[in-house]
Amino acid sequence: MTYMGKPYYPEWLDNLADDVTLEAAAMEGTAHGAEDVRAILVVARDQYEHQEFNYAGPCGESSYVEDYTSSVLGMSTCVVVLVSFNAAGQTQHVVVNHRPRSAMLQFSRLMLEKFVDSPYAKHWQGTP
């Protein structure tokens, strides 16, 4: 994965606040805490077959945005991630949106498969 010719890694993922939250269209509810948010995001990132970034960078004073296209199980998906930072510069809140809806639902089902026997499964239990 590259952005502007350089390998891309979301540095904000390594600087999570203890009380960070994660919300996503593909999830039920909100994940709370650095351990849970990191565990979910690491598995989620592994599901992308590739990422082609349109933009990854600052958005206003205390936010960061990623806009990319990807494939998950061969289905094209567009993703927008909004990351908000607290006053200490730590990642405080992450929101992930997949589109179109069919790709989001497929991603949600895949995440349920990955987490079926874990405490994180609750975030995907309502997946059709």
Side-chain angles (χ1 to χ4, degrees):
M1 293 176 269
T2 62
Y3 179 64
M4 298 185 71
K6 298 178 183 175
Y8 182 77
Y9 178 81
E11 293 182 18
W12 54 263
L13 185 57
D14 291 335
N15 191 25
L16 301 177
D18 290 340
D19 59 346
V20 64
T21 56
L22 168 66
E23 296 180 87
M27 289 175 60
E28 290 291 332
T30 302
H32 297 271
E35 183 179 336
D36 290 0
V37 169
R38 182 176 292 106
I40 292 168
L41 290 174
V42 166
V43 169
R45 290 185 74 233
D46 283 345
Q47 306 318 303
Y48 297 127
E49 294 161 3
H50 65 86
Q51 287 177 297
E52 294 178 28
F53 284 85
N54 298 309
Y55 180 75
C59 177
E61 294 286 319
S62 59
S63 298
Y64 188 88
V65 70
E66 297 174 352
D67 176 7
Y68 55 90
T69 57
S70 182
S71 289
V72 176
L73 299 177
M75 183 180 284
S76 180
T77 184
C78 300
V79 183
V80 175
V81 179
L82 178 62
V83 179
S84 300
F85 303 110
N86 62 21
Q90 296 175 305
T91 302
Q92 185 65 63
H93 187 68
V94 181
V95 178
V96 183
N97 288 295
H98 293 81
R99 59 196 190 284
R101 182 176 182 270
S102 57
M104 181 273 298
L105 291 172
Q106 176 177 272
F107 184 80
S108 186
R109 286 188 294 270
L110 180 60
M111 291 296 286
L112 176 58
E113 288 176 20
K114 298 296 177 183
F115 287 120
V116 71
D117 292 324
S118 81
Y120 305 119
K122 66 184 177 189
H123 294 296
W124 291 277
Q125 292 295 345
T127 302

